[in-house]
Amino acid sequence: DAKTTQPNSMESNEEEPVHLPCNHSTISGTDYIHWYRQLPSQGPEYVIHGLTSNVNNRMASLAIAEDRKSSTLILHRATLRDAAVYYCILGNRDDKIIFGKGTRLHILP
Amino acid sequence: NAGVTQTPKFRILKIGQSMTLQCTQDMNHNYMYWYRQDPGMGLKLIYYSVGAGITDKGEVPNGYNVSRSTTEDFPLRLELAAPSQTSVYFCASRTLAGGGNEQFFGPGTRLTVL
């Protein structure tokens, strides 16, 4: 399974944009880039996924580097509710997905 | 839709006891998964199923069994509980539609083995 590298933790101020980085230098051509998040004491929640082009949805945006070896999850305006562990995961529809330790995002009021 | 539901929410077992963790989804999803999450760690895949009657091992299957007799239900069985199985257990499901791997998770079962 291709691996991802994320910072252990990040801080951001409330109401400011947050850019969460993910490196995946061994990504294969069929791997999608997924982001999940896990709020305290809850199950993981799907955020977004993409293959080559940047993607937007109601929760976030996903910016994918042209060589696909890195990506960035963008929360446009962080709220306290966005404090969570964010997981960057590679896989396609036929794979099991492997959760790493993720990035713990702290939001400062 | 209720999504993915899990019962019980909490359970304390004694060493050597058995129990079944229940998982049900009402989205008609083909794929279902069982994960465990130890404190401060990411999720580890225990077992998964690609449809009724088909199951396969994940990363950490030892000490667990599963069955998938219907599309909706995917119970996880612990036969001889051990302290190492103290964890939070999450069930998830997904459809085959789309190119990605969007899974829907249940709220979890917190299990303590003493």
Side-chain angles (χ1 to χ4, degrees):
Chain A
D1 296 315
K3 294 192 183 303
T4 63
T5 303
Q6 299 177 252
N8 288 335
S9 66
M10 290 183 62
E11 275 186 357
S12 182
N13 294 320
E14 195 178 11
E15 300 185 7
E16 290 187 356
V18 181
H19 291 237
L20 294 160
C22 182
N23 288 320
H24 29 79
S25 58
T26 60
I27 190 170
S28 76
T30 58
D31 280 336
Y32 283 76
I33 301 156
H34 303 78
W35 284 84
Y36 283 78
R37 72 179 185 180
Q38 188 172 19
L39 302 173
S41 300
Q42 295 190 26
E45 174 187 32
Y46 166 83
V47 177
I48 200 167
H49 77 275
L51 185 61
T52 56
S53 303
N54 295 344
V55 184
N56 301 299
N57 66 19
R58 64 174 179 80
M59 291 180 69
S61 296
L62 175 59
I64 301 173
E66 196 169 333
D67 64 5
R68 299 208 328 125
K69 294 185 176 182
S70 65
S71 61
T72 302
L73 180 71
I74 303 166
L75 307 178
H76 294 286
R77 192 167 168 272
T79 69
L80 295 177
R81 196 191 172 278
D82 292 319
V85 178
Y86 287 78
Y87 298 97
C88 170
I89 302 166
L90 304 183
N92 60 45
R93 54 178 279 170
D94 297 321
D95 283 345
K96 307 179 285 291
I97 58 174
I98 305 297
F99 284 80
K101 291 190 176 181
T103 296
R104 184 172 297 277
L105 176 64
H106 301 274
I107 305 296
L108 305 175
Chain B
N1 287 352
V4 179
T5 57
Q6 293 183 238
T7 57
K9 286 187 168 50
F10 304 94
R11 184 73 185 268
I12 297 175
L13 283 182
K14 294 183 179 177
I15 294 172
Q17 286 186 319
S18 303
M19 77 164 294
T20 300
L21 283 68
Q22 301 291 347
C23 175
T24 299
Q25 54 92 8
D26 62 359
M27 298 172 281
N28 201 33
H29 284 173
N30 301 97
Y31 283 44
M32 294 188 74
Y33 305 83
W34 274 107
Y35 295 90
R36 60 177 285 175
Q37 185 173 35
D38 298 334
M41 305 297 286
L43 280 72
K44 291 195 180 298
L45 182 65
I46 305 172
Y47 271 96
Y48 67 102
S49 168
V50 302
I54 306 169
T55 63
D56 208 347
K57 296 177 180 178
E59 302 171 82
V60 289
N62 291 345
Y64 306 94
N65 281 301
V66 293
S67 59
R68 183 94 182 271
S69 56
T70 67
T71 299
E72 296 78 18
D73 299 307
F74 190 39
L76 177 72
R77 178 88 178 154
L78 282 71
E79 290 294 348
L80 291 169
S84 60
Q85 294 177 304
T86 294
S87 193
V88 181
Y89 291 83
F90 291 103
C91 179
S93 73
R94 73 173 177 98
T95 179
L96 285 177
N101 200 314
E102 177 185 353
Q103 296 186 18
F104 296 82
F105 283 79
T109 294
R110 186 175 297 274
L111 176 67
T112 302
V113 182
L114 300 175

